[in-house]
Each structure stands twice: as C-alpha cells, then as structure tokens.
C-alpha cells in the first residue's frame, strides 16, 4: 500500500486518475494479493447507483443506542447531509459541507494512497463531503461529534460519504462514526488529520443492513507528539472490509488502535490495517479480536512498515479470533516490514475455539452451556474493550457487543 | 434413600478404559475418602461423576438421590447438587470473581425456584465466607484464579463450595499445595459443610488431611477398581506401608 507525500492535485485530476485506475483494475477478486481473502467479484455484476435518498432509515436500535452518546450529530443520508447549526456548536468546533468545494476535497486527499481501490471509489463517486475542524480551546474537552451514516436505500443503492476531521494543533477531539445504512454498497472514507500535540478519541461502529457490502477506509495522519485512541466494531453487513491506514508524520506520536469483528450466519468481516512508521520515536499498539459463529468468516491483514529512519519505533500488534462453530473460519496475515535496526516490534495471530476446560469449569458450577459460552466470549473481548480511554465511548461500545451477544442467544 | 449410588461403573476416555467396575454408596452426612496411586483413576472418577464431556460411561449406573445422572449435562448435575473441587482449578482470564460466583449461585437458586440473590447482599455473603477461608478481598476482585497461587486456588474452590452448598461434594486433592495453616482453615471450611445433608468424597494422597477431615470410610482405588474399603485406620495403614502390599493382595 504505497502512499505519497506530495502536493495537492486538483479535484478533477484526482477524479480522472481514479477513473483511470478503476477502468484498468476494476473490482478485485482473490487473484489480487491484497484481496486474497476477500473477493469483490460479486460487485462486478452489481449495477449500483449512487443513492440520492434523503429519507434516513429508521435503524431504530442503532439510533436508540447512538442517542446514549451525547454530542453533535452529523447525519448523512445519501447526498443529503444534516449538520448541526454553527451557533449550536461550542467554540473551537466547526462543521462544514464541502461537497461543492473542490479545493477542500482535493486538499483532503493529499496523503491518501495512490492506486488504491477505496480512495479511487470515493474520488469517483463521493455522494457527500464534510469537514470537521476542531481547534484548541481553553474549555474542557468538548462533547463528541457523532457521524451517522443512515442512508436509506435499497440493494441497488450505493453511498460514498466522505468526512475529513482536522484536529488542530494541541486540540482534543472525540469522534464517533456510526455506519448504519441500508445501501447495497456503502463506501465511507474518513480522513483524520491529527496535528502536532493533538489528541483524538475515536470509535467506529459498522452496523449496516444485512445485505450491505461495506468498504470503509479510515485514514489516520498523526503529527508530532499526537495521540490517537481508536476502536472499531464491525458487526453488520453481508461483507465488510475496514481498511485503516495510519501514517506517522511527526515523531513521538502514539497510536492505540483496536478492532473487534463479530460475525454470524454467512457474514464476512475483513479488517485490513497498514501502519506506516516513517518517523522515529513513535508507538503503535493494535489489538484485534474476532468472534465468528455459524458459517461466518473473518480476515485480519495487518502490515506494519518501519522505514529505515524510524528508529526507536515501538510497534505491537496482536490478533486473535474465536470460532464458535465448526463452519466458521478465520484467516490472519500479519506482516512486519522493518527497515530500521533499533526498534521493538512484535506481532502475533491466533485462531482458536472456546477452551473445553474452561467450559467444563463453568458448567461444573451449574452455569448453563449458553451462559458459559457468553461469559467466555465476553471475557475474550474485555481486555480489548479496556483499551477505550473515553468512558462514554467504552460504555457505548460495550452495549453494542452486549446487543450482539443477546441476539446470538 | 442413598445420596449417591455408583454401581458397576465402567468408563473410558476415548478408546482407553480407565474405570473397571466401581461400586460405592454414599449417604447424607458421610465422608468417604479415596486414596490410590497416581494414575489409578481418582480424578477420572471425579470427572465421570460431574459429567465432563469426553468421559464415557460404558457400563453401570450413577444415581443421585435415586435418579440416574448419566443423561444429565455437567451443569444440570451441578444444579442438582453436585460439586467438584478441582485438582487443578483453571484460570478464567476476563471473568471477574464476583460475576462468576453470582452466576453460579443464581443458577443453583433458579433451579430451586428461588429468587436471584440481591447484589449487595451477595457481596456481603461472599466477603463473609471469604474471610472465614482466609481469601482476601483483593482476590475476589481479580479474574477467577488468574495469578492465584496453588494454595489460593484451592481455597477459592472451597469458597465456591461453601456458597453453593452442594448435597454431594467431591474434593480432588484439595489438600495438595496447601501449607499447614491453610490446611487447617480449609478443613474447617469443609467440616462446616459436613453433617446434615451433605455427603463428601474426599480424594487425597495424605493421611494428614484425614486427621482434619475424619472420614467415615476409606477406599483404595487402584487400576480403576476399588480394591479395599475400610475405616480411617486404612488410611494410616497406607501411610505406613504404601500401596504395594494392597495392590498385590487384590
Ligand atoms: N484425556 C486422557 N486420555 C487418555 N488417558 C487419560 C486421559 N486423562 C487421563 N488418562 C489416564 O487415565 C488414568 C487415570 O488418570 P487420573 O487422572 O484419573 O489419575 P489419578 O488417580 O487422579 O492420578 P493422580 O494421583 O496423579 O492425580 C491415567 O493412566 C491417565 O494417564
Ligand atoms: Mg488426580
């Protein structure tokens, strides 16, 4: 996954490049190394039209639980966006619709990967574009901005929302992304620019409709001495891939990035992450957990690249998948590319079933099979959930997992 | 009616036959000790009684309160009153002590048609029981058995027993790993359960435990069979002479 550190290309040029790329490569299938475990061959047949539906769907449960999150709501529904009025926002936060602002869109694309499917799709089809700016203020950390993608659509509909979040120098931001569209294809692209000394707390929930193909990209760009605490859950959709591209652009930055995927029926969840340590003295810690029931399939691909100059890099990555059924399957492809010699990096990946010894211990105490399983599943996820720093975000994500567990029973 | 009746019990793990026809009857209030060489099948018997998957009963019968338990899952047997204190208690990372204990106690109470325990009441109850067994509050806050010492794990097993109040308790080498003082504390905990309704099967290698928990009967298990039964003097005999003579005679 190459990325560039180049100057801005104009938006029309950007789109032209994207089209050229897509025309020659099209939808990838298993023959493409980066898509070895997640084929998009089914999209070759699909005739998606960008959804212009402006009636948000009523994903009642998701919206109900999102309402637990006190904050400023940015609602996206196809090409319609609903922003909080500027005068309702506290000092230091501004939220702007940049759908018609080619320069802003072009600027936001500066660090995105070239020759890559997800940015190309976004450049070609963006249905909406929003910029969120958070400046440093004297007051306490503000309420979170909650980005809700609620595109109400049908299986033939597609949505390509784009959001750039700029956390300016020294600022602190809390952002929640909730993807709960009813589109056949949902391709959200989020760029987080976290400037020097800034801090971002971030959660992302993918709870799309049961037939949705979700192809999301979260790009994290980190300035000197910045911090990101990020946590994602993928639990909806028929097939979903979340790519995270994290770039360190200044030294002494810290990234804590965890993800959980929860699959059942024939769901397919893919988490593909790329962490680029270009600069020295940065740290990344990634915990990935997957729980797969029925015939669900999970994929984790994690590449950590440490450039020759990135001395004293601390890069940790651990993925574990738990299979609850014989027909479930998990693949993991961790990759370390280390070109510096003075670094501490580790990675590991395991796939396993519930431990019979632990199950027997619980059952021998009178705890019924299903309850015992759920206790062990919760236990499997809990240390990852502990990674979430913000207590409101932690409570919200925990409630989502509980909702999944309850539905599984 | 007998509390537990084991009749001609044969059991295998996979293709390996381990138990070869065990007969044993335990009445309410009785303590039976089982001694026997390593690998003789003591833990296997405890697992077969408690319904562990993979332990297949190929012949014979196990009756608890006159009812066969062979078709019951491990959790059903536990709710029916069986309890096993493990020789090697397992660690449950991510499962906090209080929630585990509450789940277990509530499962038993629901079965008995009782309301679930009140949270605050329960915390008090557990603290009191824990204090009696020298289990400190810090341990209750941690994940079950994680980072506990060998002896702490054994105390924790007995704590569970005292909260669950089983009608039949099988203690598999609860004494091993305990220091002298802990042995006394744990034995007191066990003796507190004794009498009335609870019958016990105490597996041990050492006469020392049996001087604290004085058994009504002692059985010697060797090669998957009970080769000799007697009173507490049999334990002393084993301590003096080992198993060799007994095994040869059988
Ligand atoms: N999973 C298994 N598969 C095959 N054989 C087993 C298995 N578990 C135990 N055994 C065998 O069964 C026999 C009895 O083992 P068990 O653990 O019941 O002995 P024990 O009397 O409890 O010994 P100890 O005093 O060492 O605790 C041993 O020969 C052991 O090797
Ligand atoms: Mg044993």
């Amino acid at each position: 996954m190459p990325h560039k550190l180049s100057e801005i290309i104009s938006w029309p040029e950007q789109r032209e490049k994207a089209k050229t790329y897509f025309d020659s490569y099209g939808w990838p299938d298993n023959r493409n190394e980066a898509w070895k475990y997640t084929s998009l061959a089914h999209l070759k047949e699909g005739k998606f039209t960008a959804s212009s539906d402006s009636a948000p769907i009523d994903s009642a449960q998701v919206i109900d639980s999102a309402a637990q999150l006190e904050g400023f709501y940015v609602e996206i529904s196809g090409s319609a966006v609903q922003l909080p009025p500027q005068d309702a926002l506290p000092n230091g936060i501004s939220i702007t619709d940049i759908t018609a602002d080619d320069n802003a869109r072009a600027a936001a694309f500066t660090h995105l990967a070239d020759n890559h499917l997800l940015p190309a799709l976004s450049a070609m089809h963006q249905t909406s574009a929003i910029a969120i700016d958070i400046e440093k203020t004297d007051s306490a950390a503000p309420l979170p901005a909650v980005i809700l993608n609620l595109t109400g659509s049908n299986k033939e509909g597609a949505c390509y929302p784009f959001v750039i979040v700029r956390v300016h120098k020294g600022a602190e931001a809390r952002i929640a992304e909730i993807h709960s569209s009813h589109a056949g294809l949902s391709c959200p692209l989020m760029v987080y620019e976290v400037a020097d000394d800034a801090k971002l707390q971030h959660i992302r929930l993918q709870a799309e409709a049961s037939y949705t193909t979700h192809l999301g990209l979260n790009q994290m760009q980190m300035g000197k001495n910045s911090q990101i605490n990020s946590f994602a859950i993928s639990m909806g959709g028929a097939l979903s891939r979340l790519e995270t591209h994290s770039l360190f652009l200044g030294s002494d930055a810290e990234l804590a990035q965890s993800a959980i995927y929860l699959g059942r029926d024939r769901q397919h969840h893919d988490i593909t992450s790329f962490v680029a340590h270009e600069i020295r003295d940065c740290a990344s810690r990634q915990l990935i957990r997957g729980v797969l029931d029925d015939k669900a399939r999970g994929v984790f691909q994690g590449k950590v690249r440490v450039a020759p100059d990135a001395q004293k890099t601390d890069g940790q990555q651990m993925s574990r998948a738990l299979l609850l059924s014989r027909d479930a399957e998990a693949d993991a492809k961790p990759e370390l590319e280390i070109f510096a010699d003075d670094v501490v990096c580790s990675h590991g990946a395991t796939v396993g079933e519930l431990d019979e010894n632990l199950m027997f211990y619980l059952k021998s105490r009178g705890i019924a099979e299903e309850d015992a399983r759920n206790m062990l599943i919760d236990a499997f996820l809990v240390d990852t959930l502990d990674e979430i720093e913000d207590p409101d975000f932690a409570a919200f994500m925990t409630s989502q997992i509980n909702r999944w567990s309850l539905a599984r029973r | 009616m007998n509390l537990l009746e084991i009749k001609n019990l044969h059991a295998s793990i996979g293709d390996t036959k381990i138990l070869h026809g065990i007969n044993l009857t335990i009445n309410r209030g009785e303590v039976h000790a089982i001694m026997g060489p390593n690998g003789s099948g003591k833990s296997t018997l405890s697992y077969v009684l408690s319904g562990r998957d993979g332990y297949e009963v190929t012949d014979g019968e196990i009756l608890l309160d006159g009812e066969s338990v062979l078709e019951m899952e491990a959790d059903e047997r536990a709710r029916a009153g069986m309890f096993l204190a493990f020789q090697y208690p397992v660690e449950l990372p991510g499962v906090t002590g209080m929630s585990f204990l509450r789940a277990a106690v509530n499962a038993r109470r629901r079965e008995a048609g009782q309301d679930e325990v009140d949270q605050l009441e329960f915390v008090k109850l557990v603290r009191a029981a824990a204090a009696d067994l020298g289990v400190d509050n810090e341990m209750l806050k941690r994940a079950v058995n994680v980072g506990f010492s060998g002896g702490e794990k054994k105390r924790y097993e007995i704590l569970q027993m005292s909260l669950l109040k089983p009608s039949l308790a099988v203690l598999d080498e609860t004494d091993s790993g305990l220091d002298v003082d802990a042995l006394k504390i744990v034995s007191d905990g066990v003796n507190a359960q004794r009498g009335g309704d609870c019958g016990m099967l105490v597996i041990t290698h050492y006469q020392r435990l049996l001087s604290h928990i004085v058994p009504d009967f002692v059985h010697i298990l060797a090669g998957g069979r009970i080769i000799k039964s007697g009173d507490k003097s049999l334990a002393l005999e084993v301590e003096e002479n080992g198993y060799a003579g007994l095994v040869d005679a059988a």
Side-chain angles (χ1 to χ4, degrees), chain A residues 321-342:
Chain A
L322 179 61
L323 306 181
L324 299 179
S325 123
R326 274 173 205 284
D327 297 323
E329 189 185 327
D331 294 290
K333 191 172 84 173
E335 273 178 281
L336 285 180
E337 285 182 357
I338 302 179
F339 301 102
D341 50 19
D342 186 13

PDB file of all heavy atoms in Angstrom, chain A residues 321-342:
ATOM      1  N   ALA A 321      -8.697 -14.700  16.975  1.00  0.00           N
ATOM      2  CA  ALA A 321     -10.057 -14.978  16.515  1.00  0.00           C
ATOM      3  C   ALA A 321     -10.593 -16.178  17.286  1.00  0.00           C
ATOM      4  O   ALA A 321      -9.866 -17.121  17.586  1.00  0.00           O
ATOM      5  CB  ALA A 321     -10.072 -15.271  15.020  1.00  0.00           C
ATOM      6  N   LEU A 322     -11.868 -16.092  17.610  1.00  0.00           N
ATOM      7  CA  LEU A 322     -12.533 -17.152  18.364  1.00  0.00           C
ATOM      8  C   LEU A 322     -13.628 -17.743  17.485  1.00  0.00           C
ATOM      9  O   LEU A 322     -14.522 -17.032  17.034  1.00  0.00           O
ATOM     10  CB  LEU A 322     -13.132 -16.541  19.635  1.00  0.00           C
ATOM     11  CG  LEU A 322     -13.909 -17.448  20.581  1.00  0.00           C
ATOM     12  CD1 LEU A 322     -13.013 -18.557  21.126  1.00  0.00           C
ATOM     13  CD2 LEU A 322     -14.482 -16.616  21.720  1.00  0.00           C
ATOM     14  N   LEU A 323     -13.528 -19.027  17.225  1.00  0.00           N
ATOM     15  CA  LEU A 323     -14.517 -19.681  16.373  1.00  0.00           C
ATOM     16  C   LEU A 323     -15.540 -20.400  17.243  1.00  0.00           C
ATOM     17  O   LEU A 323     -15.180 -21.242  18.063  1.00  0.00           O
ATOM     18  CB  LEU A 323     -13.830 -20.708  15.454  1.00  0.00           C
ATOM     19  CG  LEU A 323     -12.666 -20.181  14.606  1.00  0.00           C
ATOM     20  CD1 LEU A 323     -12.112 -21.305  13.729  1.00  0.00           C
ATOM     21  CD2 LEU A 323     -13.122 -19.016  13.738  1.00  0.00           C
ATOM     22  N   LEU A 324     -16.807 -20.061  17.045  1.00  0.00           N
ATOM     23  CA  LEU A 324     -17.849 -20.672  17.863  1.00  0.00           C
ATOM     24  C   LEU A 324     -18.516 -21.836  17.151  1.00  0.00           C
ATOM     25  O   LEU A 324     -19.347 -22.521  17.723  1.00  0.00           O
ATOM     26  CB  LEU A 324     -18.915 -19.637  18.227  1.00  0.00           C
ATOM     27  CG  LEU A 324     -18.419 -18.440  19.037  1.00  0.00           C
ATOM     28  CD1 LEU A 324     -19.573 -17.486  19.303  1.00  0.00           C
ATOM     29  CD2 LEU A 324     -17.793 -18.896  20.342  1.00  0.00           C
ATOM     30  N   SER A 325     -18.174 -22.008  15.900  1.00  0.00           N
ATOM     31  CA  SER A 325     -18.800 -23.107  15.166  1.00  0.00           C
ATOM     32  C   SER A 325     -17.752 -23.751  14.264  1.00  0.00           C
ATOM     33  O   SER A 325     -16.771 -23.127  13.887  1.00  0.00           O
ATOM     34  CB  SER A 325     -19.991 -22.561  14.354  1.00  0.00           C
ATOM     35  OG  SER A 325     -19.854 -22.842  12.978  1.00  0.00           O
ATOM     36  N   ARG A 326     -18.002 -25.005  13.951  1.00  0.00           N
ATOM     37  CA  ARG A 326     -17.064 -25.732  13.100  1.00  0.00           C
ATOM     38  C   ARG A 326     -16.994 -25.161  11.694  1.00  0.00           C
ATOM     39  O   ARG A 326     -16.007 -25.340  10.988  1.00  0.00           O
ATOM     40  CB  ARG A 326     -17.505 -27.194  12.980  1.00  0.00           C
ATOM     41  CG  ARG A 326     -17.004 -28.045  14.081  1.00  0.00           C
ATOM     42  CD  ARG A 326     -17.611 -29.441  14.015  1.00  0.00           C
ATOM     43  NE  ARG A 326     -17.582 -30.022  15.344  1.00  0.00           N
ATOM     44  CZ  ARG A 326     -16.490 -30.509  15.906  1.00  0.00           C
ATOM     45  NH1 ARG A 326     -15.359 -30.532  15.253  1.00  0.00           N
ATOM     46  NH2 ARG A 326     -16.503 -30.992  17.128  1.00  0.00           N
ATOM     47  N   ASP A 327     -18.078 -24.511  11.285  1.00  0.00           N
ATOM     48  CA  ASP A 327     -18.112 -23.991   9.929  1.00  0.00           C
ATOM     49  C   ASP A 327     -17.568 -22.569   9.817  1.00  0.00           C
ATOM     50  O   ASP A 327     -17.489 -22.021   8.728  1.00  0.00           O
ATOM     51  CB  ASP A 327     -19.554 -24.017   9.400  1.00  0.00           C
ATOM     52  CG  ASP A 327     -20.088 -25.438   9.316  1.00  0.00           C
ATOM     53  OD1 ASP A 327     -19.289 -26.336   8.968  1.00  0.00           O
ATOM     54  OD2 ASP A 327     -21.275 -25.656   9.619  1.00  0.00           O
ATOM     55  N   ALA A 328     -17.233 -21.983  10.947  1.00  0.00           N
ATOM     56  CA  ALA A 328     -16.665 -20.627  10.903  1.00  0.00           C
ATOM     57  C   ALA A 328     -15.190 -20.724  10.537  1.00  0.00           C
ATOM     58  O   ALA A 328     -14.557 -21.762  10.719  1.00  0.00           O
ATOM     59  CB  ALA A 328     -16.831 -19.949  12.258  1.00  0.00           C
ATOM     60  N   GLU A 329     -14.671 -19.630  10.004  1.00  0.00           N
ATOM     61  CA  GLU A 329     -13.296 -19.671   9.527  1.00  0.00           C
ATOM     62  C   GLU A 329     -12.632 -18.310   9.732  1.00  0.00           C
ATOM     63  O   GLU A 329     -13.269 -17.275   9.574  1.00  0.00           O
ATOM     64  CB  GLU A 329     -13.323 -20.003   8.030  1.00  0.00           C
ATOM     65  CG  GLU A 329     -11.964 -20.286   7.427  1.00  0.00           C
ATOM     66  CD  GLU A 329     -12.059 -20.486   5.905  1.00  0.00           C
ATOM     67  OE1 GLU A 329     -13.081 -21.006   5.413  1.00  0.00           O
ATOM     68  OE2 GLU A 329     -11.103 -20.088   5.224  1.00  0.00           O
ATOM     69  N   ALA A 330     -11.373 -18.350  10.092  1.00  0.00           N
ATOM     70  CA  ALA A 330     -10.650 -17.078  10.247  1.00  0.00           C
ATOM     71  C   ALA A 330      -9.290 -17.172   9.584  1.00  0.00           C
ATOM     72  O   ALA A 330      -8.623 -18.201   9.644  1.00  0.00           O
ATOM     73  CB  ALA A 330     -10.487 -16.743  11.726  1.00  0.00           C
ATOM     74  N   ASP A 331      -8.900 -16.103   8.932  1.00  0.00           N
ATOM     75  CA  ASP A 331      -7.574 -16.021   8.335  1.00  0.00           C
ATOM     76  C   ASP A 331      -6.862 -14.801   8.889  1.00  0.00           C
ATOM     77  O   ASP A 331      -7.481 -13.762   9.099  1.00  0.00           O
ATOM     78  CB  ASP A 331      -7.671 -15.882   6.814  1.00  0.00           C
ATOM     79  CG  ASP A 331      -8.258 -17.127   6.181  1.00  0.00           C
ATOM     80  OD1 ASP A 331      -7.571 -18.152   6.181  1.00  0.00           O
ATOM     81  OD2 ASP A 331      -9.419 -17.065   5.719  1.00  0.00           O
ATOM     82  N   ALA A 332      -5.581 -14.941   9.093  1.00  0.00           N
ATOM     83  CA  ALA A 332      -4.808 -13.794   9.564  1.00  0.00           C
ATOM     84  C   ALA A 332      -3.525 -13.713   8.765  1.00  0.00           C
ATOM     85  O   ALA A 332      -2.895 -14.728   8.477  1.00  0.00           O
ATOM     86  CB  ALA A 332      -4.491 -13.936  11.049  1.00  0.00           C
ATOM     87  N   LYS A 333      -3.198 -12.501   8.369  1.00  0.00           N
ATOM     88  CA  LYS A 333      -1.950 -12.297   7.652  1.00  0.00           C
ATOM     89  C   LYS A 333      -1.215 -11.099   8.252  1.00  0.00           C
ATOM     90  O   LYS A 333      -1.370  -9.973   7.778  1.00  0.00           O
ATOM     91  CB  LYS A 333      -2.216 -12.074   6.162  1.00  0.00           C
ATOM     92  CG  LYS A 333      -0.932 -12.122   5.329  1.00  0.00           C
ATOM     93  CD  LYS A 333      -1.225 -12.087   3.842  1.00  0.00           C
ATOM     94  CE  LYS A 333      -1.417 -10.672   3.346  1.00  0.00           C
ATOM     95  NZ  LYS A 333      -1.550 -10.550   1.902  1.00  0.00           N
ATOM     96  N   PRO A 334      -0.463 -11.348   9.320  1.00  0.00           N
ATOM     97  CA  PRO A 334       0.332 -10.246   9.859  1.00  0.00           C
ATOM     98  C   PRO A 334       1.625 -10.106   9.066  1.00  0.00           C
ATOM     99  O   PRO A 334       2.212 -11.102   8.647  1.00  0.00           O
ATOM    100  CB  PRO A 334       0.627 -10.680  11.297  1.00  0.00           C
ATOM    101  CG  PRO A 334       0.393 -12.153  11.342  1.00  0.00           C
ATOM    102  CD  PRO A 334      -0.298 -12.583  10.079  1.00  0.00           C
ATOM    103  N   GLU A 335       2.030  -8.888   8.832  1.00  0.00           N
ATOM    104  CA  GLU A 335       3.264  -8.661   8.072  1.00  0.00           C
ATOM    105  C   GLU A 335       4.070  -7.543   8.719  1.00  0.00           C
ATOM    106  O   GLU A 335       3.544  -6.446   8.927  1.00  0.00           O
ATOM    107  CB  GLU A 335       2.922  -8.173   6.662  1.00  0.00           C
ATOM    108  CG  GLU A 335       2.666  -9.238   5.637  1.00  0.00           C
ATOM    109  CD  GLU A 335       2.287  -8.583   4.313  1.00  0.00           C
ATOM    110  OE1 GLU A 335       1.126  -8.160   4.180  1.00  0.00           O
ATOM    111  OE2 GLU A 335       3.151  -8.471   3.435  1.00  0.00           O
ATOM    112  N   LEU A 336       5.291  -7.839   9.038  1.00  0.00           N
ATOM    113  CA  LEU A 336       6.174  -6.782   9.528  1.00  0.00           C
ATOM    114  C   LEU A 336       7.211  -6.507   8.454  1.00  0.00           C
ATOM    115  O   LEU A 336       7.860  -7.419   7.974  1.00  0.00           O
ATOM    116  CB  LEU A 336       6.914  -7.248  10.796  1.00  0.00           C
ATOM    117  CG  LEU A 336       6.151  -7.325  12.114  1.00  0.00           C
ATOM    118  CD1 LEU A 336       7.067  -7.812  13.230  1.00  0.00           C
ATOM    119  CD2 LEU A 336       5.577  -5.969  12.475  1.00  0.00           C
ATOM    120  N   GLU A 337       7.327  -5.247   8.093  1.00  0.00           N
ATOM    121  CA  GLU A 337       8.398  -4.860   7.159  1.00  0.00           C
ATOM    122  C   GLU A 337       9.269  -3.866   7.897  1.00  0.00           C
ATOM    123  O   GLU A 337       8.914  -2.699   8.030  1.00  0.00           O
ATOM    124  CB  GLU A 337       7.813  -4.183   5.923  1.00  0.00           C
ATOM    125  CG  GLU A 337       7.163  -5.135   4.957  1.00  0.00           C
ATOM    126  CD  GLU A 337       6.637  -4.401   3.719  1.00  0.00           C
ATOM    127  OE1 GLU A 337       6.729  -3.158   3.657  1.00  0.00           O
ATOM    128  OE2 GLU A 337       6.129  -5.092   2.825  1.00  0.00           O
ATOM    129  N   ILE A 338      10.371  -4.349   8.408  1.00  0.00           N
ATOM    130  CA  ILE A 338      11.184  -3.482   9.265  1.00  0.00           C
ATOM    131  C   ILE A 338      12.513  -3.175   8.593  1.00  0.00           C
ATOM    132  O   ILE A 338      13.291  -4.076   8.290  1.00  0.00           O
ATOM    133  CB  ILE A 338      11.419  -4.152  10.629  1.00  0.00           C
ATOM    134  CG1 ILE A 338      10.062  -4.456  11.276  1.00  0.00           C
ATOM    135  CG2 ILE A 338      12.241  -3.256  11.534  1.00  0.00           C
ATOM    136  CD1 ILE A 338      10.144  -5.141  12.597  1.00  0.00           C
ATOM    137  N   PHE A 339      12.739  -1.897   8.373  1.00  0.00           N
ATOM    138  CA  PHE A 339      13.988  -1.496   7.730  1.00  0.00           C
ATOM    139  C   PHE A 339      14.903  -0.722   8.674  1.00  0.00           C
ATOM    140  O   PHE A 339      15.981  -0.301   8.293  1.00  0.00           O
ATOM    141  CB  PHE A 339      13.686  -0.656   6.483  1.00  0.00           C
ATOM    142  CG  PHE A 339      12.851  -1.410   5.478  1.00  0.00           C
ATOM    143  CD1 PHE A 339      11.488  -1.174   5.366  1.00  0.00           C
ATOM    144  CD2 PHE A 339      13.431  -2.390   4.677  1.00  0.00           C
ATOM    145  CE1 PHE A 339      10.714  -1.892   4.457  1.00  0.00           C
ATOM    146  CE2 PHE A 339      12.662  -3.110   3.766  1.00  0.00           C
ATOM    147  CZ  PHE A 339      11.300  -2.856   3.662  1.00  0.00           C
ATOM    148  N   ALA A 340      14.453  -0.516   9.911  1.00  0.00           N
ATOM    149  CA  ALA A 340      15.294   0.158  10.908  1.00  0.00           C
ATOM    150  C   ALA A 340      15.814  -0.908  11.867  1.00  0.00           C
ATOM    151  O   ALA A 340      15.182  -1.947  12.034  1.00  0.00           O
ATOM    152  CB  ALA A 340      14.482   1.198  11.654  1.00  0.00           C
ATOM    153  N   ASP A 341      16.963  -0.653  12.514  1.00  0.00           N
ATOM    154  CA  ASP A 341      17.514  -1.731  13.337  1.00  0.00           C
ATOM    155  C   ASP A 341      17.256  -1.579  14.833  1.00  0.00           C
ATOM    156  O   ASP A 341      17.284  -2.543  15.567  1.00  0.00           O
ATOM    157  CB  ASP A 341      19.020  -1.913  13.071  1.00  0.00           C
ATOM    158  CG  ASP A 341      19.756  -0.590  13.140  1.00  0.00           C
ATOM    159  OD1 ASP A 341      19.207   0.356  13.725  1.00  0.00           O
ATOM    160  OD2 ASP A 341      20.877  -0.515  12.593  1.00  0.00           O
ATOM    161  N   ASP A 342      16.930  -0.368  15.268  1.00  0.00           N
ATOM    162  CA  ASP A 342      16.760  -0.161  16.702  1.00  0.00           C
ATOM    163  C   ASP A 342      15.281   0.029  17.029  1.00  0.00           C
ATOM    164  O   ASP A 342      14.822   1.131  17.313  1.00  0.00           O
ATOM    165  CB  ASP A 342      17.593   1.057  17.125  1.00  0.00           C
ATOM    166  CG  ASP A 342      17.572   1.247  18.634  1.00  0.00           C
ATOM    167  OD1 ASP A 342      17.141   0.311  19.343  1.00  0.00           O
ATOM    168  OD2 ASP A 342      17.972   2.334  19.081  1.00  0.00           O
TER     169      ASP A 342
END
